Amino acid sequence: MVPARLTVEPARDPTGSRSRMPEQRYIYPRMNKLLNHLLLAEGRGDDVTDVVTGLAGMTKGTYNRMQKKSPKALPRWDKETPTDDQLMTASRMYANKIYSDFIDPESNLYLEGFDSLPEPAQDGIISSAYNLGEKSMSGFPGFRRAVKNKDPYEAMKQLLDTANTEGRSSKGLALRRAREFNSVASKLGRPRINRVVASEDGTISYLGQSEDGQALEILRYKKPRHETSKPGIVDI
């Protein structure tokens, strides 16, 4: 099945002529589901870092990148924050861009095997890329190898140690990664994460049960703890 395409109005030069041909983008097939997930996960913006962020985690920098691609639909984000509708339009455009980059073999960010993964894995990967930045996904060789091998469980496991803000571990992001992992694990009938432990020293542990009911540590990693992330245990 060939994915549907969306044509985005190109920027124009000062003379009014088109500066380049219209840019075609694939349309992410589960956009409403993704946006609802982002609204729940990201809320109204980032009050943790110095990055200017609005509704659904749309950063000022990413918004203005999308604005250049569709200047008629979006005003530039300078001093005033765009409206919620404008931010959600930019979120749709960015999600479509990530999706296009991952499935287009001609893209520098092509993710071989992505289009063969089950829907929950695609959803979780797009969500992670939205949060981390799509270019960062090129820096995870274990993740890329799992996607290429069409191993969605391992691919999502490889993203569990990216629950970091400014290079420091975040319990909130760990819960988000765990829930996205669990969507894939449930689909495959594989062990799920049922507990996330955030330690004082920044260690994040994802715990579950093996198929025979034994305690199982699915993954553990250590980063300095972000100052806004409180130690604790959360059952999922």
Side-chain angles (χ1 to χ4, degrees):
M1 179 179 177
V2 178
R5 284 181 177 268
L6 168 70
T7 299
V8 178
E9 180 69 17
R12 295 176 180 267
D13 66 22
T15 67
S17 63
R18 288 187 173 184
S19 59
R20 52 189 170 86
M21 293 295 290
E23 181 178 353
Q24 289 187 313
R25 297 183 176 280
Y26 293 98
I27 300 173
Y28 190 59
R30 294 173 297 283
M31 182 62 73
N32 288 340
K33 179 181 178 182
L34 175 66
L35 292 178
N36 285 332
H37 174 66
L38 293 174
L39 285 169
L40 288 172
E42 302 274 4
R44 297 206 62 86
D46 184 358
D47 57 2
V48 173
T49 71
D50 294 331
V51 178
V52 180
T53 311
L55 186 68
M58 174 54 58
T59 67
K60 183 176 182 179
T62 299
Y63 174 93
N64 283 334
R65 283 167 53 203
M66 300 302 103
Q67 188 274 336
K68 288 180 180 179
K69 299 178 183 299
S70 189
K72 290 184 177 179
L74 300 174
R76 185 167 175 80
W77 185 348
D78 290 318
K79 293 183 179 179
E80 294 188 8
T81 302
T83 66
D84 286 355
D85 284 346
Q86 290 163 348
L87 288 166
M88 294 309 292
T89 295
S91 293
R92 289 185 182 91
M93 291 176 63
Y94 186 41
N96 282 329
K97 178 187 185 307
I98 295 169
Y99 181 58
S100 299
D101 285 338
F102 286 172
I103 68 172
D104 185 352
E106 296 182 2
S107 168
N108 292 332
L109 300 176
Y110 175 56
L111 189 55
E112 184 177 357
F114 176 83
D115 57 348
S116 297
L117 297 178
E119 291 181 1
Q122 291 186 5
D123 294 343
I125 290 169
I126 294 287
S127 171
S128 294
Y130 185 101
N131 171 236
L132 296 167
E134 75 275 26
K135 292 182 179 179
S136 67
M137 308 298 273
S138 299
F140 307 144
F143 160 75
R144 296 183 67 86
R145 184 165 52 251
V147 174
K148 183 177 180 179
N149 292 338
K150 301 177 183 179
D151 185 347
Y153 190 83
E154 180 63 24
M156 297 306 295
K157 182 177 177 180
Q158 288 288 326
L159 294 176
L160 291 175
D161 65 356
T162 67
N164 309 308
T165 299
E166 298 177 317
R168 296 173 178 268
S169 66
S170 166
K171 183 175 65 179
L173 273 178
L175 291 171
R176 174 175 173 175
R177 297 285 187 270
R179 292 183 177 114
E180 292 167 352
F181 173 91
N182 281 347
S183 292
V184 175
S186 295
K187 175 78 173 180
L188 300 174
R190 300 284 300 278
R192 300 172 75 258
I193 295 168
N194 56 31
R195 176 171 290 181
V196 174
V197 180
S199 301
E200 181 72 38
D201 67 357
T203 299
I204 298 288
S205 300
Y206 298 95
L207 308 178
Q209 286 186 332
S210 64
E211 295 177 357
D212 60 0
Q214 299 298 310
L216 175 68
E217 184 175 77
I218 293 175
L219 187 130
R220 175 174 56 182
Y221 79 100
K222 183 178 179 181
K223 290 271 189 181
R225 180 173 56 85
H226 196 275
E227 59 270 20
T228 63
S229 178
K230 296 181 179 179
I233 299 172
V234 181
D235 290 328
I236 301 177

